[in-house]
Amino acid sequence: MKLILTADVANLGGPGDTVEVKDGYGRNFLLPRGLAIVATRGAQKQVETIRRTQEGKRIRDLDHAKEVAGQIQGLGTVRVTGKAGQGGRLFGSITPADVVSAVRSQGGPNLDKRFVDIAGHIKSTGDHTVTVRLHPDVAVDLPLEVQGG
């Protein structure tokens, strides 16, 4: 079965790669989870948009990771807003996607949410710190100010 991957799949490939897999693996695992689409002529056109999207978020090498880390550190404290009740408790919690969108809205780089490590759950307003892992050798501590909205 010929498929086009839409996400990173361990030991198989990355987004936009055309791969040949056994029918059962493709039908029962990759397709239902949205990790791949069937390779057709129309799907080949989608490959280019998938690659362009991933290219914008990808860290190319150690020097690029250090450059992005400098941009993140230049932001200072990033403000994230969540719905809060009495006593500063949030309804829900702050997710990596919330952190990424806050970084982008404050002029920071376009990150992948998988780069953001949140220790535990952020369920209250106030100051918190998350780690952004850009490369195996580059990690940045990002201060967050969580505000109730």
Side-chain angles (χ1 to χ4, degrees):
M1 173 178 266
K2 201 168 196 175
L3 299 175
I4 299 171
L5 298 178
T6 58
D8 285 320
V9 179
N11 301 323
L12 196 56
D17 291 347
T18 303
V19 295
E20 185 78 31
V21 297
K22 295 202 176 193
D23 292 347
Y25 182 57
R27 220 180 12 252
N28 298 325
F29 183 76
L30 296 174
L31 292 174
R33 287 176 172 76
L35 299 174
I37 54 175
V38 177
T40 61
R41 275 190 235 136
Q44 293 292 342
K45 293 177 184 176
Q46 288 179 327
V47 168
E48 287 305 314
T49 56
I50 292 169
R51 283 198 177 132
R52 271 188 252 123
T53 305
Q54 291 297 323
E55 185 66 31
K57 294 180 181 179
R58 191 172 61 109
I59 301 296
R60 290 181 282 283
D61 55 13
L62 182 61
D63 293 334
H64 186 241
K66 288 180 180 177
E67 178 184 322
V68 172
Q71 292 174 359
I72 292 171
Q73 289 172 336
L75 291 174
T77 302
V78 175
R79 285 167 194 75
V80 181
T81 305
K83 287 191 175 187
Q86 292 190 357
R89 299 258 319 145
L90 294 176
F91 297 118
S93 62
I94 300 299
T95 64
D98 295 333
V99 174
V100 168
S101 65
V103 167
R104 265 182 67 199
S105 68
Q106 293 180 21
N110 187 13
L111 299 173
D112 191 331
K113 66 182 180 182
R114 293 175 288 185
F115 295 161
V116 179
D117 288 340
I118 298 177
H121 296 285
I122 299 177
K123 293 187 170 227
S124 62
T125 58
D127 295 328
H128 302 276
T129 303
V130 297
T131 303
V132 180
R133 297 196 186 288
L134 301 168
H135 189 270
D137 298 332
V138 180
V140 179
D141 287 334
L142 178 66
L144 289 181
E145 180 185 331
V146 180
Q147 301 172 336

